[in-house]
């Protein structure tokens, strides 16, 4: 595979990083007002079905305002890392540790955090 064959596609996950003082109110909004299908409390976050995606609401004790994190899938993680590096995109793995995962973090020019994960063979 050459670097020209790298393809990024929108991933399945969207994370809202919510300040603690607004967390319960925000969970209530998605669960009781919008009534999105509730997937439960997993990995220290409330999860909702958001169309074909999962919306994760993460409580952040050290945040003053909310932040949105996205996920993209790629056909080859190592080739994508090389491609991104060649285009001046720095890794941001310091933002969150994912044990037992080969994916990694980057950000766009305005600071949106993006998780890069391997796509499933069917995607």
């Amino acid at each position: 595979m050459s670097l020209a064959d790298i393809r990024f596609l929108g991933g399945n996950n969207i994370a809202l990083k919510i300040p603690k003082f607004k967390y319960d109110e925000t969970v209530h909004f998605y669960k009781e007002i919008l009534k999105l299908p509730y997937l439960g409390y997993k990995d220290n976050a409330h999860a909702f079905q958001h169309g074909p995606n999962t919306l994760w609401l993460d409580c952040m004790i050290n945040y003053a305002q909310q932040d949105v994190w996205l996920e993209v899938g790629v056909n080859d993680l190592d080739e994508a890392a090389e491609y991104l590096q060649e285009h001046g995109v720095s890794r941001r793995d310091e933002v969150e540790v994912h044990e037992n995962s080969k994916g990694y973090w980057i950000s766009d020019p305005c600071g949106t955090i993006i998780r890069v994960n391997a796509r499933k063979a069917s995607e």
Side-chain angles (χ1 to χ4, degrees):
M1 173 182 300
S2 74
L3 294 182
D5 295 326
I6 297 299
R7 289 189 327 135
F8 294 91
L9 295 174
N12 298 321
N13 296 296
I14 302 167
L16 295 184
K17 305 295 185 173
I18 303 163
K20 184 177 180 180
F21 77 98
K22 284 291 191 180
Y23 189 70
D24 291 337
E25 182 181 349
T26 303
V27 170
H28 174 81
F29 174 82
Y30 285 97
K31 192 173 188 180
E32 304 299 332
I33 296 174
L34 290 185
K35 298 186 182 201
L36 290 181
Y38 185 63
L39 302 175
Y41 188 76
K42 306 173 187 178
D43 300 323
N44 296 316
H46 289 277
F48 295 86
Q49 192 66 45
H50 189 267
N53 303 310
T54 301
L55 175 65
W56 297 91
L57 303 185
D58 297 333
C59 184
M60 308 303 292
I61 60 172
N62 58 344
Y63 275 40
Q65 64 188 34
Q66 69 88 25
D67 201 3
V68 177
W69 292 16
L70 303 174
E71 176 188 41
V72 295
V74 66
N75 48 337
D76 185 306
L77 279 171
D78 294 331
E79 294 283 337
E82 186 179 335
Y83 172 87
L84 291 165
Q85 184 176 15
E86 286 181 6
H87 286 82
V89 178
S90 299
R91 295 273 292 262
R92 296 290 313 276
D93 294 327
E94 76 281 2
V95 299
E96 189 171 279
V97 174
H98 268 253
E99 308 262 338
N100 303 316
S101 174
K102 294 182 180 189
Y104 45 86
W105 301 99
I106 61 171
S107 64
D108 69 16
C110 73
T112 304
I113 300 297
I114 302 169
R115 177 78 178 169
V116 180
N117 278 327
R119 284 197 330 256
K120 297 175 185 146
S122 62
E123 295 180 315

